[in-house]
């Protein structure tokens, strides 16, 4: 529950309760820190990934022990990917977490237009080399080494599109319609006041 709903639930139970949203945020942060113990956030993420039986690959910065990129998926996701491998959707969100690192989410589509998660990657930079590393890991998940991927849908991230051409050169590339309509809207405003 979000803190505001927790406060509302507490006030519903006891109208004289004086708990504030700030206190709930503090309590949640304290709980997360105590649960993590001496582990860093990266160590906690990797221990969770291994505990839940996810497959995970990491890449370190040059000549250091600092993890730069992380790619993870579940065996069940890989099975779905190999059954429904024709269309994949890539969405990269960035500047949405406290470390300002990118989250690349890869989603598959079934013939009945249902979607399923394929893999996730935290990438240190929005560079072709980071995306290429993640896409190579994705490519290794396919059971057939003949490139079965036919259609790739992205949100217009230039470095991702460049890496896509390198790793999956025969796949047809499409932009999400949201991105197209947004760009048309911007151009439209430039010419029509």
């Amino acid at each position: 529950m979000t803190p505001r709903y927790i406060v509302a639930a507490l006030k519903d139970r006891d109208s004289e309760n004086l708990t504030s949203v700030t206190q709930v945020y503090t309590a949640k942060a304290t709980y997360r820190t105590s649960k993590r113990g001496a582990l860093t956030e990266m160590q906690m993420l990797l221990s969770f990934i291994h505990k839940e039986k996810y497959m995970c690959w990491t890449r370190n910065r040059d000549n250091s022990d600092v993890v730069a990129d992380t790619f993870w998926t579940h065996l069940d996701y890989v099975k779905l990917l190999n059954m429904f491998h024709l269309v994949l959707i890539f969405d990269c969100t960035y500047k949405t977490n406290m470390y300002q690192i990118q989250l690349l989410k890869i989603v598959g589509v079934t013939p009945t237009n249902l979607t399923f998660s394929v893999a996730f990657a935290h990438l240190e930079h929005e560079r072709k080399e980071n995306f290429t590393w993640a896409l190579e890991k994705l490519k290794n998940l396919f059971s057939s080494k003949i490139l079965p991927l036919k259609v790739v849908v992205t949100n217009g991230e230039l470095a991702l599109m460049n890496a896509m051409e390198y790793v999956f050169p025969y796949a047809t590339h499409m932009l999400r319609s949201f991105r197209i309509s947004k760009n048309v809207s911007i151009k439209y405003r430039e010419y029509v006041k």
Side-chain angles (χ1 to χ4, degrees), residues 67-128:
V67 174
D69 301 321
T70 309
F71 181 93
W72 71 96
T73 186
H74 196 275
L75 192 57
D76 294 339
Y77 299 168
V78 176
K79 289 177 187 174
L80 285 169
L81 171 66
N82 283 292
M83 287 191 296
F84 308 111
H85 53 76
L86 298 178
V87 179
L88 290 181
I89 301 168
F90 293 80
D91 186 28
C92 191
T93 58
Y94 56 97
K95 297 181 182 173
T96 58
N97 54 50
M98 64 190 274
Y99 300 106
Q100 304 296 312
I101 57 175
Q102 285 65 249
L103 174 66
L104 175 66
K105 183 175 182 180
I106 305 167
V107 177
V109 181
T110 68
T112 57
N113 288 331
L114 296 175
T115 60
F116 60 94
S117 295
V118 173
F120 305 90
H122 271 153
L123 304 173
E124 184 177 37
H125 299 290
E126 295 176 72
R127 295 184 186 141
K128 181 181 175 183

Side-chain angles (χ1 to χ4, degrees), residues 5-29:
Y5 291 128
I6 293 172
V7 170
L10 290 172
K11 292 198 188 271
D12 282 346
R13 287 186 188 162
D14 180 10
S15 60
E16 295 180 16
N17 190 318
L18 300 175
T19 303
S20 70
V21 174
T22 306
Q23 290 172 313
V24 174
Y25 273 112
T26 303
K28 285 179 79 170

Side-chain angles (χ1 to χ4, degrees), residues 33 35-45 47:
T33 303
K35 189 175 176 185
R36 192 175 69 222
L39 299 176
T40 65
E41 279 116 355
M42 179 57 77
Q43 290 170 331
M44 186 68 178
L45 172 66
S47 70

